Amino acid sequence: MAVRSCLDALAYDVFLNFRGSDTRHGFTGNLYKALHDRGIHTFIDDEELQRGEEITPALQSAIEKSKIAIIVLSNNYASSSFCLDELTYIVECLNRKDLLVLPVFYNVDPSDVRYQKSSYGEALAKHEERFEHNMEKLQKWKMALHQVANLSGFHFKYGDGYEYQFIERIVELVSSKINRASLPIADYPVGLDSQVLEVKKLLAVEFDNSVHMIGIHGIGGIGKSTLARAVYNSIADDFDGSCFLENVREKSNKHGLKHLQSILVSEILRDKKINSASVEKITSMMQHRLQQKKVLLILDDVDNHQQLEAFKPYWFGPGSRVIITTRDKQLLASHEVKTTYEVKELNKNNALQLLTWKGFKTEIVDPSYEEVLNCVVTYASGLPLALEIIGSNLFGKSIKEWRSAINQYKRIPNNQILEKLKVSFDALEEEEKSVFLDIACCFKEYKLTEVEDILRALYGDCMKYHVGVLIEKSLIKVSQYGTIKLHDLIQDMGREIDRKESPKEPGKHRRLWLWKDIIQVLKDNTKFVSLSVLNFDWCKHLTRIPDLYGLPNLSELSFQRCQNLITVHNSIGFLHKLKTLSAVGCRKLRSFPPIKLTSLEKLELSFCSSLGNFPEILGKMENMRELNLLHTPIKELPLSFQNLIGLRGLCMTNNEIVRLPSSIVMMPELTTISASGLKGWQWLEQEEGEEKVGSIVSSKVEYLRASKCNLDDDFFSIGFTRLAYVNQLDLSNNNFTVIPECIKQCQLLQRLDVRNCKHLREIRGIPPNLKYFLATNCVSLTSSSISMFLYQKLHEAGNTLFHLRGGRITERFDHQSNGPSISLWFRNKVLCHDIAPCDNYTTVFSPIVLINGNQYSFAFELCFSIVNGKGNETYILF
């Protein structure tokens, strides 16, 4: 057999080292054939290569590139200097690389090899005469023989058995070593290496001699099995035996758990006859014979407790590792698998790389494909299964075909992807399936609490349990902000399942989410009396909300961000069970119909940038709690607004409202008004048609924000006097010149903010229970007016924290001391000391403050306005 000219480029499973004249045409020739017949790539050298004095670079390369070296130590082996040179090089490779060396003592005693006795001693004595001037070579040979004789191997002696059976045992061992180290993984293992390292850290193979279990979990198609195979390939050689049981769910259903147990024992003990053993014998072997083995076991795609119970970790020896892949995280928890790893989606770069390899078999792609490739990556959302299937299906296709295909996938998901993902859905109970389909079709990105409230009417108190099951089975997630998350393709899978129930008659669906289907159903007046939630959010093609009189049980209606919506049907105003109505971000919506929604709790009309008028309220609405009117061009609120008798919170930020009826603060339940950035604010006297409010009746408003509303001194005249219960008042960035004495009537006011009121010149009154008074950057407040104010009011205000535009500290206080510690006196009382000096714009300090004999300690900011490098203006905080 001639040596291949491309020998240097080849990698071998096995390298055979032997004495040709002893065994080439007998034992070694038969061993080579048996290995070759099992598909094991084996190197056997040609006699021509042994005529020289030194082994060739080609042979050295073959040794280096082999996984296993088999040394056939026969009677005349040591007489060949060529064999000994090969052996020496093999031992060198053993010491510096991952090479498995198997000695075969073929009718020789291992001790003769170890100590160079009998034929080995005689051969080395002759070599000593021949190499008397190269004793270093002789010494290397002796050391190599001694080292290889100490390795675990095979011993054959004439008369002890059949040679073919002996060869079979060698081939079985080699086969197990070769096979276990080369499980197939993905063609393009993009992004896999980093995850393998993370799992290996969790396994701690080198540092923990206990039996250790870990779980790898995640959605279908995410790459759990691929990751497990890669980990297996990386660590299998560290164990006495290893077994990868793939598709446990499918194979246990088809063949039973006994079949899987027999595979495990057979592979670990390397005995094929075990496959036919009884259940009792298999169990006994697992409990007794495997306890002496350090085992690596992979249980791939597990979906129930019985499958885990069939492989108890205490049946395996010290240092064993069991890796379980599953879609069900709860299954791991119930089996007390505390160490788990969740497989992550591919990031955009890795996803694009995988798609490119699958779709083009190369990393370099025509730039004209860039846009469509990015579309596919977005659609696949990091799921390797989807990227591989789509890339393979579109290999060699044109850009137009790629675009057409992705549009089709968006409309109807690919069956190969769908079936893989559907496994998790099929494992659910019937009611769990229904909850999942509700969420997938209608509630992605919703707050979990909202969804539970909506669906509790259908599923009762079981909702929390059902949601927990869906999380455990990797079908949904809940973000740190409490919103429901679904992988895009999981959502597509759920919607496709629902669509298939009645693909041509959407009116028979329980759930509707496509705007075209919804409108068609409504136009057809299909019986949808029980429909409770209708969501048109982000419908680009929706221009009008149709007649909804046929939906009397509707409790939630949303058409947010419908950017082409122009009109809304009047029927919306008379849906008496409607609780939530949202039209946020409908930029072209010009008007809203009158409403008489007796059950409505929340109305959202924010960011409707063409909505000029607030809808008329046709009757008392006592359940209304919250109204948001952010960034709308509404100029005034109608008198009928007071029919919102249950309103508690009103937000009118950045509107064009210039007039408000004074009675607004007298609405019976209103406690919060946030009105920042109005074009103007002018209180109106009671007008005809308003409910009369007696002058002694006070408003319930506790929080009033009227920042940047062009307020002047008239603000404090009419409506303001009714704010007896206000607790927080934000009047910052306005135009009034005086804080009048009447503000003292606000006896519950604790926080007053007039920052950046640049026309403010005088402060005539301070509420008696004020805790925070913020008046920084009020540039018209002179130092003298502040000093007079402080002198008159400070001791009356008690523990008030003042933020004032300052002059120098010395202008505020009777006395002050300098040095590392500063003390300030006001009316002969120490107010503040231990203020750390600073040279920055802002610093934080913790002064000890004495007010009326009481000591307080706070952390405050001391701010300096720097002019010419010196601090000459201070904000005093105490």
Side-chain angles (χ1 to χ4, degrees):
M1 180 176 64
V3 178
R4 298 178 179 89
S5 60
C6 57
L7 181 63
D8 288 336
L10 296 175
Y12 292 89
D13 295 322
V14 175
F15 181 92
L16 291 176
N17 168 253
F18 62 98
R19 180 74 168 102
S21 59
D22 277 3
T23 62
R24 178 183 297 277
H25 301 294
F27 172 78
T28 301
N30 292 332
L31 175 61
Y32 172 78
K33 184 178 187 304
L35 292 168
H36 179 76
D37 289 347
R38 288 289 289 270
I40 298 171
H41 190 33
T42 305
F43 175 80
I44 183 169
D45 67 5
D46 189 86
E47 290 183 279
E48 296 295 322
L49 292 176
Q50 298 189 21
R51 291 185 177 180
E53 291 293 326
E54 302 288 341
I55 63 172
T56 64
L59 284 174
Q60 289 179 341
S61 177
I63 294 170
E64 291 173 355
K65 293 180 180 180
S66 295
K67 299 173 183 176
I68 299 175
I70 297 178
I71 315 298
V72 182
L73 297 159
S74 57
N75 190 54
N76 295 310
Y77 177 90
S79 63
S80 169
S81 61
F82 200 91
C83 284
L84 293 173
D85 279 342
E86 274 190 357
L87 176 65
T88 302
Y89 196 76
I90 289 170
V91 169
E92 288 178 5
C93 290
L94 172 64
N95 294 333
R96 60 183 170 83
K97 69 182 287 286
D98 189 17
L99 176 67
L100 177 63
V101 176
L102 295 176
V104 176
F105 302 96
Y106 187 73
N107 209 36
V108 298
D109 193 320
S111 64
D112 289 348
V113 179
R114 183 178 297 111
Y115 301 112
Q116 291 94 54
K117 298 187 299 184
S118 298
S119 63
Y120 281 75
E122 294 171 4
L124 286 170
K126 293 180 179 178
H127 288 316
E128 190 170 351
E129 294 177 4
R130 181 182 175 192
F131 294 99
E132 60 178 339
H133 299 299
N134 192 357
M135 297 304 292
E136 183 180 354
K137 177 188 281 285
L138 192 68
Q139 189 61 30
K140 285 183 178 181
W141 289 347
K142 291 181 179 181
M143 291 177 62
L145 287 168
H146 183 84
Q147 184 171 346
V148 78
N150 284 329
L151 297 175
S152 176
F154 296 88
H155 187 193
F156 179 78
K157 188 175 182 180
Y158 291 141
D160 285 350
Y162 291 105
E163 189 174 282
Y164 76 88
Q165 292 177 333
F166 179 66
I167 289 175
E168 281 182 1
R169 293 207 305 273
I170 297 173
V171 172
E172 285 299 325
L173 175 64
V174 169
S175 179
S176 68
K177 297 291 185 182
I178 295 299
N179 290 337
R180 78 179 187 185
S182 58
L183 285 178
I185 57 174
D187 293 337
Y188 308 106
V190 176
L192 193 60
D193 289 345
S194 60
Q195 298 198 73
V196 170
L197 288 175
E198 290 186 50
V199 173
K200 287 176 69 175
K201 288 178 184 177
L202 297 177
L203 286 167
V205 174
E206 299 175 2
F207 308 107
D208 188 350
N209 202 38
S210 61
V211 178
H212 196 28
M213 302 175 66
I214 78 160
I216 298 176
H217 64 95
I219 65 174
I222 198 67
K224 301 181 294 296
S225 299
T226 300
L227 175 58
R229 288 189 189 96
V231 171
Y232 179 93
N233 288 346
S234 179
I235 65 174
D237 286 334
D238 296 326
F239 296 85
D240 298 331
S242 58
C243 179
F244 191 103
L245 290 177
E246 63 181 354
N247 299 327
V248 169
R249 171 183 55 83
E250 180 182 335
K251 290 184 177 179
S252 63
N253 291 335
K254 188 174 182 179
H255 303 293
L257 289 171
K258 179 259 179 182
H259 172 72
L260 296 177
Q261 290 176 329
S262 65
I263 292 175
L264 169 64
V265 178
S266 174
E267 291 197 15
I268 300 299
L269 301 180
R270 303 187 187 99
D271 187 349
K272 286 188 175 181
K273 296 178 182 177
I274 292 175
N275 283 325
S276 60
S278 66
V279 175
E280 292 76 13
K281 187 174 181 181
I282 292 292
T283 304
S284 176
M285 287 181 177
M286 291 182 70
Q287 292 181 6
H288 300 291
R289 294 185 65 181
L290 296 187
Q291 284 187 343
Q292 310 304 316
K293 299 283 188 180
K294 180 182 176 182
V295 172
L296 172 62
L297 171 62
I298 313 289
L299 297 172
D300 176 49
D301 193 18
V302 174
D303 73 340
N304 67 53
H305 297 284
Q306 290 75 23
Q307 294 159 4
L308 293 179
E309 288 295 324
F311 302 93
K312 298 184 182 296
Y314 58 80
W315 289 346
F316 309 130
S320 294
R321 296 291 184 269
V322 180
I323 300 175
I324 302 158
T325 75
T326 182
R327 304 182 187 203
D328 190 344
K329 190 177 181 181
Q330 175 59 24
L331 186 61
L332 300 173
S334 64
H335 206 67
E336 298 185 336
V337 181
K338 296 182 174 60
T339 305
T340 62
Y341 178 80
E342 182 175 8
V343 184
K344 305 169 184 65
E345 292 93 349
L346 294 176
N347 62 37
K348 182 178 180 181
N349 289 336
N350 285 338
L352 192 58
Q353 185 180 351
L354 177 58
L355 178 64
T356 302
W357 276 111
K358 277 293 183 179
F360 301 91
K361 311 301 182 189
T362 178
E363 285 185 296
I364 302 172
V365 182
D366 187 330
S368 61
Y369 279 87
E370 182 178 354
E371 180 183 354
V372 71
L373 289 176
N374 283 325
C375 287
V376 175
V377 166
T378 301
Y379 169 76
S381 299
L383 193 70
L385 171 74
L387 293 163
E388 290 180 354
I389 289 174
I390 294 173
S392 298
N393 289 347
L394 297 177
F395 175 73
K397 303 292 185 181
S398 67
I399 294 177
K400 288 184 178 179
E401 289 172 305
W402 275 76
R403 288 199 182 106
S404 176
I406 192 60
N407 289 333
Q408 170 68 11
Y409 291 148
K410 289 178 180 178
R411 192 172 67 87
I412 301 177
N414 175 274
N415 269 333
Q416 290 174 276
I417 301 172
L418 184 67
E419 289 305 313
K420 184 73 173 180
L421 298 178
K422 193 171 175 285
V423 171
S424 298
F425 175 82
D426 291 337
L428 298 173
E429 300 294 335
E430 286 306 311
E431 196 163 271
E432 292 162 359
K433 289 180 179 179
S434 185
V435 172
F436 168 72
L437 293 178
D438 291 341
I439 292 173
C441 291
C442 304
F443 297 117
K444 182 180 179 181
E445 302 295 340
Y446 273 60
K447 288 283 187 182
L448 175 60
T449 51
E450 293 180 50
V451 175
E452 288 178 341
D453 287 342
I454 293 169
L455 297 184
R456 190 171 283 111
L458 297 174
Y459 307 105
D461 293 334
C462 296
M463 261 305 299
K464 282 190 177 294
Y465 173 76
H466 293 330
V467 169
V469 170
L470 299 181
I471 294 172
E472 290 156 4
K473 294 191 179 297
S474 304
L475 287 167
I476 69 172
K477 292 182 180 180
V478 178
S479 75
Q480 59 178 327
Y481 304 108
T483 57
I484 293 177
K485 301 288 185 181
L486 283 83
H487 191 282
D488 290 345
L489 294 180
I490 292 287
Q491 181 185 40
D492 289 349
M493 179 265 290
R495 289 182 166 184
E496 180 63 8
I497 291 171
D498 191 73
R499 186 191 70 83
K500 283 184 174 179
E501 291 180 1
S502 181
K504 295 183 178 180
E505 296 183 71
K508 293 184 178 181
H509 288 179
R510 177 183 172 184
R511 309 162 187 90
L512 291 175
W513 67 92
L514 290 175
W515 66 272
K516 289 188 288 187
D517 290 346
I518 295 171
I519 292 175
Q520 185 61 47
V521 167
L522 296 176
K523 283 182 177 179
D524 294 344
N525 199 23
T526 306
K527 293 182 179 180
F528 251 77
V529 176
S530 62
L531 186 67
S532 60
V533 178
L534 192 54
N535 189 313
F536 290 99
D537 292 353
W538 297 96
C539 291
K540 296 179 181 179
H541 305 286
L542 188 66
T543 59
R544 59 181 297 272
I545 300 297
D547 186 345
L548 300 180
Y549 276 118
L551 304 175
N553 291 306
L554 206 61
S555 64
E556 181 177 338
L557 175 60
S558 180
F559 39 92
Q560 298 185 32
R561 313 294 176 185
C562 294
Q563 298 180 6
N564 293 303
L565 181 68
I566 298 173
T567 61
V568 174
H569 194 272
N570 289 344
S571 59
I572 283 182
F574 300 92
L575 298 171
H576 295 298
K577 292 188 179 181
L578 196 65
K579 293 182 178 181
T580 303
L581 177 56
S582 179
V584 172
C586 295
R587 297 186 302 178
K588 294 183 180 179
L589 182 62
R590 294 190 291 267
S591 63
F592 209 87
I595 58 176
K596 186 179 180 181
L597 301 170
T598 54
S599 297
L600 194 67
E601 297 174 359
K602 182 178 181 180
L603 176 60
E604 290 266 10
L605 297 176
S606 299
F607 300 97
C608 293
S609 54
S610 298
L611 187 63
N613 297 299
F614 187 81
E616 290 288 340
I617 310 300
L618 300 182
K620 303 291 185 185
M621 290 173 54
E622 60 184 18
N623 290 305
M624 183 78 161
R625 298 290 182 265
E626 184 180 347
L627 172 62
N628 291 317
L629 297 173
L630 285 71
H631 295 269
T632 67
I634 294 174
K635 292 181 172 58
E636 60 181 331
L637 299 177
L639 291 178
S640 64
F641 188 84
Q642 64 184 331
N643 283 329
L644 301 176
I645 57 177
L647 190 64
R648 294 177 183 174
L650 172 62
C651 184
M652 302 181 293
T653 302
N654 291 323
N655 285 346
E656 295 186 7
I657 291 177
V658 294
R659 298 197 305 166
L660 286 174
S662 58
S663 61
I664 192 172
V665 298
M666 302 308 300
M667 294 178 70
E669 301 297 329
L670 190 63
T671 59
T672 300
I673 301 176
S674 180
S676 172
L678 303 190
K679 295 293 183 181
W681 184 326
Q682 179 184 353
W683 292 107
L684 300 180
E685 292 282 6
Q686 289 180 348
E687 299 179 5
E688 186 177 352
E690 277 194 45
E691 289 191 356
K692 301 297 181 182
V693 180
S695 59
I696 61 172
V697 179
S698 298
S699 165
K700 289 185 178 180
V701 172
E702 298 175 358
Y703 174 86
L704 174 60
R705 184 186 185 199
S707 176
K708 299 181 182 179
C709 290
N710 293 319
L711 301 182
D712 56 23
D713 291 330
D714 289 340
F715 173 80
F716 293 101
S717 58
I718 305 169
F720 183 78
T721 58
R722 301 175 181 177
L723 297 172
Y725 291 98
V726 69
N727 180 273
Q728 297 185 56
L729 184 58
D730 181 356
L731 303 177
S732 59
N733 295 279
N734 280 300
N735 300 327
F736 48 80
T737 63
V738 175
I739 297 178
E741 194 168 357
C742 69
I743 202 170
K744 290 182 179 181
Q745 297 176 26
C746 299
Q747 297 191 15
L748 300 181
L749 187 60
Q750 294 190 14
R751 181 184 177 93
L752 175 59
D753 187 350
V754 293
R755 288 176 294 180
N756 300 305
C757 291
K758 297 184 179 181
H759 301 286
L760 179 63
R761 298 192 303 269
E762 187 177 354
I763 304 171
R764 296 176 182 172
I766 288 294
N769 293 299
L770 195 67
K771 301 298 181 186
Y772 300 94
F773 182 64
L774 313 177
T776 56
N777 203 29
C778 295
V779 295
S780 295
L781 274 176
T782 64
S783 296
S784 59
S785 65
I786 293 176
S787 296
M788 183 177 296
F789 165 72
L790 286 172
Y791 186 82
Q792 293 175 349
K793 304 299 180 185
L794 184 60
H795 70 291
E796 301 173 2
N799 296 330
T800 305
L801 176 63
F802 290 88
H803 292 237
L804 296 170
R805 177 182 181 271
R808 296 180 183 275
I809 291 177
T810 54
E811 297 176 4
R812 303 285 187 273
F813 302 96
D814 300 331
H815 304 285
Q816 53 100 13
S817 67
N818 296 317
S821 173
I822 299 175
S823 296
L824 309 173
W825 285 264
F826 180 78
R827 292 189 173 181
N828 297 318
K829 292 182 180 180
V830 177
L831 292 180
C832 178
H833 65 84
D834 288 340
I835 302 176
C838 70
D839 54 4
N840 298 318
Y841 290 95
T842 302
T843 189
V844 176
F845 71 101
S846 299
I848 298 172
V849 181
L850 293 172
I851 299 178
N852 296 331
N854 297 317
Q855 179 173 305
Y856 302 89
S857 180
F858 306 98
F860 296 138
E861 286 185 353
L862 184 63
C863 306
F864 289 87
S865 174
I866 304 300
V867 178
N868 296 326
K870 297 179 180 180
N872 66 351
E873 192 171 276
T874 310
Y875 297 145
I876 310 298
L877 295 85
F878 60 90

